[in-house]
Amino acid sequence: MAVTELQLPRQPRRVALGWAFFERQTNLWKRFWAWEVVWLLYGLVNTLSITFIANEAAKSGAVSRAEQPRLTMFLLIGTLVWAYLSAVLDDMSLTIMWERWEGTIEHTLMSPVPRVVHLVGMSVFGVLHAFVRTSLVLACSLPFFHLELAGANWGAVAVVVIVGSASLVGLGILAAILPMLYPERGEQMSFMVQALVLLVSGVYYSVNVLPGWLQVASYVSPATYLLRGIRDALLNHAGFGAEAGLIGILAIFGAALVPLSLIAFGFAERWAKKTGRLKRQG
Amino acid sequence: MNTTGERQPLPLEVEQLTKVFKVKRAPRLRAGWRRPRRVRAALAGVSFQVHPGEIYGVLGANGSGKSTLVRILSTLLLPDEGSVRVFGYDAVKQAASVRPLLNRVSVDPSFFKPMSAMENLLFFGRIYGLSGPDVRRASAAILARLGLDGEHAREPMLHLSRGQQQKVAVARAFLSAPRLLLLDEPTTGLDPRSKREVQSFVSEARRDRGVTILLTTHDMSEAEQLCDRVGFLSAGKLVAEGTPLELRKLVAAGRPLEEVGMEDVFIELTGRSIEEDEEEEEAG
């Protein structure tokens, strides 16, 4: 005897489903606004303390007075890009860790939301959240320094940041895998991976100063190209033509990392479902 | 069966379901780095069917495999052997088709605790494709039926009692209008009044919406009151199945039926009391 197939409910629009994650993150952010102020202040103090090293270097004669603004800008870009990158990665891994602790991850994963919509929805919030926080730190830092911004190519900076952010989304999704599998150790491992990216990407120095074997690692970090692109546009006034190569590399990173991270998350989710790791912990 | 002679798929068909976990033992110095593992069969060849509009109870002690069963049905755990079909769709191979059809209340009401009940419901409603206004309207109606007003809905979940949180969890499960509802010990830890409110809401939902329900519990009177049929799960095996009356008759052995409770049925059919099963689980 034939068995009739049950009519499934119509699949909702992906944008509407993705909005659920954006809205949830916004609601969580509202409840923790005091922490947001703390992180903003911490980010500002961190940025100032690192960038003042340029003043010290000029005062002690390590660099000439003429080179000081360039060093200031170099360090400022490094701290801001690092603040941006770490905020995106933290947002993703902390959210998944939180979902594990609260046990809501089971309800999220059993819902009909496609995984790509779930993760991209979270990432979009993470990127915008990090961008707003970093912009505020930049705005508050500017009065402390005399910066030569005439000739800076802001258009190129914008393109580098937008294209580079796609690869950060990929890294963010990868960073979310570990806390899904191991809530506590996963967060620890995630911080270690971030530390490695900090070391090899030339955040506060040029990657040329690294030992040869570490320079090799810098090639596979998208942060290396993001930093180089922004520094070239702001310090060397590089135009779109000069930046095309770096933008292309960042685009390749984004095009590769986003699908790869989604595939990796899918494998991890399947393994978690095989071994029963999604059960609430905490 | 419909007019064209085609059979409607059953809400739930479980066949020979088996799930084994490898459990890590406490580390011992002599064992070196590798922590020894023992194998525990959470489910060992469980088979049953649930019919449309039925409330099917799965009774068993803590650790008998009830939650493992519900997790597999919810597409959150992959079975080692056997199959699960939800309205004809394979829960492993066609998980994306199964998910819109079901929802679940777990023993532990998991929420984003700093967010309000309504913010949580907004999120969990939206991921099932509901619009904001629809979620607000439906949530308010369900919460009111469960005895929670708008004030409660605006409170952070942290400020709500365990019973109130569990009622919000029931509202979350009903928001998506599931065809199959999995209730995993929904009344455990609730005060008698909250328990009664949740139980009567479940009966009402089945009556008014025709939703099919799988209820796991270790509360024998709850099972007798709510379930059309029950299955006893003991050490991962379904050891008996039938209506509460059928099962009581089965073990009555000449005694008046009113003297035979579901607890007696459980002891008779599993050879142990529910407390013994729980103690063994804690010791293991």
Side-chain angles (χ1 to χ4, degrees), chain A residues 4 6 23 106 274 280, chain B residues 6 19 71 89 108 126:
Chain A
T4 55
L6 188 82
E23 184 184 54
E106 288 200 327
K274 186 94 187 144
R280 179 178 180 169
Chain B
E6 289 176 323
K19 183 69 195 175
R71 282 197 166 84
Y89 294 104
D108 186 25
R126 281 195 197 277

Side-chain angles (χ1 to χ4, degrees), chain B:
Chain B
M1 206 183 304
N2 64 19
T3 49
T4 57
E6 289 176 323
R7 183 169 71 82
Q8 296 292 321
L10 286 175
L12 185 59
E13 293 170 274
V14 176
E15 245 179 79
Q16 291 300 315
L17 202 61
T18 300
K19 183 69 195 175
V20 174
F21 289 112
K22 287 176 184 160
V23 186
K24 279 183 183 170
R25 290 177 193 270
R28 275 178 294 180
L29 205 58
R30 284 172 61 190
W33 287 103
R34 281 185 67 83
R35 283 168 72 176
R37 289 163 183 253
R38 71 184 165 96
V39 172
R40 187 173 66 82
L43 292 175
V46 171
S47 301
F48 64 93
Q49 295 180 335
V50 182
H51 302 111
E54 186 178 34
I55 300 185
Y56 185 94
V58 176
L59 275 72
N62 291 334
S64 58
K66 301 189 300 295
S67 292
T68 299
L69 174 66
V70 170
R71 282 197 166 84
I72 292 175
L73 305 185
S74 312
T75 75
L76 290 168
L77 196 58
L78 297 172
D80 294 325
E81 284 169 35
S83 70
V84 174
R85 297 193 84 82
V86 175
F87 289 100
Y89 294 104
D90 188 302
V92 176
K93 294 179 189 144
Q94 297 169 293
S97 301
V98 167
R99 287 180 188 137
L101 301 172
L102 55 82
N103 214 321
R104 162 187 177 220
V105 178
S106 50
V107 61
D108 186 25
S110 309
F111 284 103
F112 290 90
K113 298 281 183 351
M115 279 166 36
S116 72
M118 190 53 81
E119 286 168 346
N120 271 285
L121 291 172
L122 258 177
F123 169 66
F124 289 109
R126 281 195 197 277
I127 58 176
Y128 279 82
L130 275 73
S131 69
D134 284 348
V135 174
R136 285 196 181 85
R137 204 171 27 248
S139 302
I142 299 172
L143 290 176
R145 172 65 191 79
L146 288 165
L148 296 180
D149 56 24
E151 191 74 19
H152 289 110
R154 285 188 292 275
E155 284 281 311
M157 293 295 291
L158 277 170
H159 298 174
L160 300 183
S161 69
R162 164 85 171 76
Q164 288 166 335
Q165 288 185 17
Q166 191 65 337
K167 286 176 182 175
V168 181
V170 171
R172 167 174 62 190
F174 278 94
L175 261 183
S176 62
R179 303 281 299 265
L180 173 65
L181 187 60
L182 308 170
L183 302 176
D184 189 8
E185 301 188 31
T187 59
T188 298
L190 296 192
D191 61 82
R193 188 178 162 191
S194 298
K195 197 171 182 170
R196 230 178 6 254
E197 282 171 336
V198 169
Q199 287 170 346
S200 78
F201 184 74
V202 168
S203 301
E204 194 182 294
R206 189 267 292 267
R207 191 187 64 228
D208 298 346
R209 307 178 193 200
V211 56
T212 305
I213 295 170
L214 181 125
L215 168 78
T216 76
T217 181
H218 51 205
D219 182 332
M220 298 293 166
S221 62
E222 178 173 88
E224 192 156 17
Q225 184 194 330
L226 291 176
C227 301
D228 301 306
R229 286 190 303 140
V230 296
F232 284 134
L233 201 58
S234 181
K237 291 184 180 142
L238 199 68
V239 294
E241 190 188 44
T243 65
L245 186 65
E246 280 170 358
L247 293 172
R248 281 163 59 201
K249 277 182 186 165
L250 190 70
V251 301
R255 284 179 289 170
L257 275 182
E258 54 273 19
E259 283 180 21
V260 183
M262 288 300 278
E263 179 75 40
D264 303 311
V265 178
F266 188 87
I267 293 168
E268 193 77 30
L269 295 177
T270 64
R272 51 208 300 132
S273 74
I274 229 163
E275 289 79 11
E276 276 176 324
D277 259 10
E278 284 172 0
E279 280 161 18
E280 189 178 274
E281 173 62 21
E282 280 161 19

Side-chain angles (χ1 to χ4, degrees), chain A residues 11 20 27 48 73 78 83 112 122-123 125 132 138 166 175 190 220 245 251 281:
Chain A
Q11 180 69 26
N27 284 329
L48 295 179
M73 197 66 188
M122 272 170 57
S123 308
F125 178 87
V132 170
L138 169 66
S190 185
V220 292
Q281 295 197 2

